[in-house]
Amino acid sequence: MTSPTDSAGHTPLAVPLLDLAGHFTRRQDELTHVPLYTTLLSRLGERLYWQLARSTELTEHARGVRALIETHHAMGLVYDMHAASRITQLSFLAMNTGDLLVSALDHLESAAPRSRDEAEALLRQVAAPVHQAQALTLHAAGDAVDAAAAFARSAARNRRSPLAPTDPAVREVRLSHAGHAALVAVARGQVTVSRDAGEVFSGIPRLTISTLRSLHTRDLTEYHPYARPSSAQRVALSPLGRLVLADRLGNPTGPALGTRPAATASKTTAPVR
């Protein structure tokens, strides 16, 4: 299946922006895997180096999306200044996350604890910048989705740059109001399900497991491992799901984007319909 394109053959910016949102969500989930309270300092160091490499990849990904936005702007295609500025900020956040992980590694490698108390103090020093890295990108996925919606709406208003997908498989997908809202919540990194996909964990009201199952059976979402709790799975957009949501975000009559995640997520169990 090909990506949806505009009349000049360019991929709508909403698609890579939704992909970037998914990368930020995975970065958040990966940071929860750092063994911050282990006594095996060598294992902690290995994980931090791996996390640093992943942060570098995320920074490059964000910069690539920013370059794509500038290319669209230079070619006279759809452009939204505020959304572009938001993506610039996200690229800096990704870079700052890497800097914090370097700080954590510096703490770890510059110390040689000789007692349990010293080891515990060292772990607290290492944990602080890792937690800061998590906090920095907490809302990054939602910001990327907001930017995707802004570009999609700009495209819909600009008749000279129609962004109609050429692949009929995208247009053929039918979404209810609940299905659209669920896809947006998934894109924003707000949804996890139990290991058997029988329960949904989310701060989104009225989001049911039956709606999520319907999206999954139509290949609009996919599941990824999630750290907290270990019995949960992250719900993410599939490649088709990104194309479908990018197409729908430009619809001015579509459902609202929703809200940021609640401070504490609630658990909802719904009967399977």
Side-chain angles (χ1 to χ4, degrees):
M1 181 174 60
T2 59
S3 297
T5 58
D6 64 12
S7 57
H10 301 284
T11 300
L13 288 174
V15 177
L17 288 170
L18 290 175
D19 183 45
L20 180 63
H23 280 275
F24 269 107
T25 296
R26 284 193 290 277
R27 188 84 277 275
Q28 276 282 311
D29 291 346
E30 288 164 355
L31 284 170
T32 66
H33 285 280
V34 180
L36 293 174
Y37 305 105
T38 181
T39 57
L40 299 175
L41 298 183
S42 59
R43 178 170 177 263
L44 175 55
E46 291 173 358
R47 292 299 299 177
L48 286 174
Y49 272 111
W50 184 84
Q51 296 287 347
L52 179 57
R54 294 288 286 157
S55 288
T56 301
E57 292 173 3
L58 179 61
T59 301
E60 293 304 315
H61 192 127
R63 287 174 175 169
V65 173
R66 174 60 183 163
L68 181 62
I69 290 171
E70 288 302 317
T71 298
H72 274 64
H73 182 40
M75 297 180 70
L77 301 177
V78 174
Y79 188 77
D80 185 291
M81 181 180 67
H82 296 293
S85 176
R86 185 170 293 174
I87 299 306
T88 298
Q89 292 172 346
L90 290 182
S91 66
F92 279 109
L93 285 180
M95 182 176 64
N96 291 339
T97 297
D99 291 341
L100 286 167
L101 292 173
V102 169
S103 176
L105 279 165
D106 286 344
H107 285 306
L108 185 64
E109 295 178 346
S110 63
R114 291 172 294 183
S115 67
R116 182 183 181 88
D117 289 343
E118 289 182 357
E120 291 177 351
L122 172 61
L123 288 175
R124 287 193 294 271
Q125 282 185 310
V126 172
V130 175
H131 290 318
Q132 291 171 14
Q134 292 174 318
L136 264 185
T137 56
L138 182 61
H139 299 300
D143 287 341
V145 173
D146 289 342
F151 277 112
R153 288 193 297 267
S154 295
R157 292 192 299 266
N158 187 348
R159 294 185 178 181
R160 291 175 300 174
S161 299
L163 298 179
T166 57
D167 193 328
V170 176
R171 285 293 186 179
E172 288 172 0
V173 175
R174 295 292 178 261
L175 286 179
S176 64
H177 184 101
H180 178 102
L183 277 186
V184 171
V186 168
R188 296 176 74 92
Q190 295 174 301
V191 184
T192 57
V193 296
S194 60
R195 184 69 65 183
D196 62 356
E199 293 178 317
V200 53
F201 302 88
S202 173
I204 308 302
R206 297 179 297 279
L207 178 58
T208 66
I209 195 64
S210 58
T211 296
L212 292 175
R213 282 178 171 170
S214 173
L215 297 175
H216 193 68
T217 56
R218 290 186 287 163
D219 296 324
L220 299 179
T221 62
E222 54 193 26
Y223 299 147
H224 300 291
Y226 183 60
R228 290 185 302 188
S230 59
S231 59
Q233 301 180 91
R234 167 69 63 190
V235 183
L237 294 181
S238 67
L240 176 60
R242 285 194 294 272
L243 299 183
V244 170
L245 183 56
D247 178 52
R248 304 308 193 272
L249 286 177
N251 179 7
T253 62
L257 282 180
T259 58
R260 293 190 183 280
T264 56
S266 61
K267 182 175 79 172
T268 304
T269 304
V272 178
R273 293 195 293 266

